[in-house]
Amino acid sequence: MLKNYFKIAIAVLKRRKFFTFISLFGISFSLTILIIITAFINNFVSAVYPDTNRDRSLYISYIGLIKKLKDGDTNNWNGYGSFYFMNHYAGSLKTPVKVAISSMSESTNTYVNNKKLVVSVKYTNEAFWDVLNYEFLEGKQYSQQQIENGERVAVISDETRKAYFGDVPTAIGKYIEADNVSYRVTGVVKNVSVINLYSYSDIWLPYTVSKADYKDQSFIGGYHAILLANLKSDLPKIKAEFDQVVSRISVGKDWDFLIAHADSYLETFTRQLFGGEHKADSGITTFSLALILFELLFLLLPALNLVNINTSRIIERSSEIAVRKAFGASSSTLVLQFVIENIMLTLLGGIIAIVLSAIVLLIINNSNLLPNTTLHINLMVVIYSVMACLVLGFLSGVYPAWRMSRLQAVDALKLV
């Protein structure tokens, strides 16, 4: 029976090529957009190089200082914390096995053969290299002793090595200038994607050589921290321990209290996106619901289009319906046939969408639109795409099929 339905579906698709094209275009275009968006989100939240321990890491990014006003309102300050805050408070936690502290990437200029080269610089502690798994192409990271001595040493990316030193056998021991200061290169690492907030840079330097005073005991600064747990199951314990430490911080007379959160990688962004810096709710649930709602609404457009097109198709086949009804075909049999035909159509559109998505992602990857970022379609994306096709095919096919299957044979012939 399914084989016959398949043959009929192929014949119907060939009969009205324009309707088939419109249907396939709507399905494939919508699914292509969703697959590409999913590929971006997947790359953003997944444990990618060098931040491969995200499943057992918590991130401290923004802190908030709160001042209660007499009218019941509050005065808030939000921003990155200081090195002192990250080192003194986050660094005092007992449960994490390592605490990586680093600054935000800052752009600076350097010059090669009188040509300006814009590079990003990040200042780190020694544990940074243990928490994040950078692939060293040559050399190694700077040591704790070099950090304490305030030595001007640097780790650079492979891209920076090629841009600054050219085609040389090794960059180890050579000097690179950044912001009018020379640093001796101790290591070269594989390039990092620009969208990786906590790990991306062109040059990594010890925090002790930063122009900002790392000994300043104020809370405001430009640093964040990554808390690495021994096991994923330790993350709730780390969160609770950090919350206790924060609750005991004295912020002085200018502020009433301080708020900071140890979040998962995605939560650090959803908390800001949905205004939860000062709330216990990280916004992850709201984000998930918004994402699901967006996908459903996005799929609703091709579904409605398919409903209209399928209704027109089925009306054209009213004589076929009348004859089959006259020979005893039940309404459920006709509905099943039309729904299967529509699912086949949407699955074909899904296959086209996957092929188009692969082509588009290949173009994006080769265009260097996002430097050192590789987007790809993984198995989960394909599975979600197939599921979307099945749901879309069922929803857009069941109503017109049910509507026409309810007609009596005489009424169906009147539509011819």
Side-chain angles (χ1 to χ4, degrees), residues 11 27 68 71 79 136 168-169 178 182 197 213 219 222 249 271 275 303 323 357 364 375:
I27 298 167
K68 293 182 179 179
D71 59 1
F136 278 82
V168 295
S182 293
L197 174 66
D213 184 9
F219 298 108
I249 295 176
R271 187 178 296 279
V323 171
S357 299
I364 292 175
L375 302 175

Side-chain angles (χ1 to χ4, degrees), residues 18-79:
F18 179 73
F19 280 172
T20 300
F21 170 78
I22 294 297
S23 301
L24 289 177
F25 177 81
I27 298 167
S28 59
F29 178 78
S30 299
L31 288 178
T32 297
I33 298 298
L34 288 179
I35 290 173
I36 292 174
I37 292 175
T38 305
F40 272 97
I41 295 175
N42 180 69
N43 183 274
F44 180 73
V45 302
S46 297
V48 295
Y49 167 84
D51 197 0
T52 55
N53 294 317
R54 283 185 187 171
D55 62 332
R56 56 189 184 99
S57 296
L58 292 175
Y59 301 78
I60 304 173
S61 183
Y62 288 89
I63 66 171
L65 291 169
I66 314 298
K67 178 70 175 180
K68 293 182 179 179
L69 304 179
K70 293 182 179 179
D71 59 1
D73 202 357
T74 60
N75 183 24
N76 306 328
W77 178 92
N78 303 307

Side-chain angles (χ1 to χ4, degrees), residues 189-233:
V189 297
K190 179 182 173 182
N191 298 326
V192 181
S193 171
V194 69
I195 66 175
N196 291 341
L197 174 66
Y198 293 92
S199 56
Y200 168 74
S201 191
D202 298 311
I203 303 175
W204 293 262
L205 304 172
Y207 68 87
T208 49
V209 301
S210 170
K211 292 182 178 181
D213 184 9
Y214 67 90
K215 296 180 181 179
D216 182 7
Q217 296 188 11
S218 64
F219 298 108
I220 300 170
Y223 284 82
H224 42 222
I226 305 176
L227 312 178
L228 180 64
N230 185 42
L231 299 171
K232 185 178 180 180
S233 57

Side-chain angles (χ1 to χ4, degrees), residues 302-360:
L304 293 175
N305 178 55
L306 280 175
V307 168
N308 292 328
I309 293 177
N310 289 334
T311 301
S312 299
R313 281 182 182 276
I314 294 174
I315 289 176
E316 291 181 344
R317 300 169 64 184
S318 56
S319 58
E320 173 192 338
I321 295 172
V323 171
R324 294 194 62 187
K325 295 276 286 187
F327 279 90
S330 64
S331 297
S332 59
T333 300
L334 292 173
V335 169
L336 178 63
Q337 175 188 336
F338 293 135
V339 169
I340 289 177
E341 290 177 8
N342 207 54
I343 289 177
M344 288 179 178
L345 174 66
T346 52
L347 283 177
L348 179 59
I351 293 173
I352 295 174
I354 292 173
V355 173
L356 288 177
S357 299
I359 294 173
V360 172

Side-chain angles (χ1 to χ4, degrees), residues 231-244:
L231 299 171
K232 185 178 180 180
S233 57
D234 291 335
L235 295 181
K237 184 178 179 181
I238 295 176
K239 280 193 174 188
E241 185 182 2
F242 181 69
D243 288 342
Q244 290 180 357

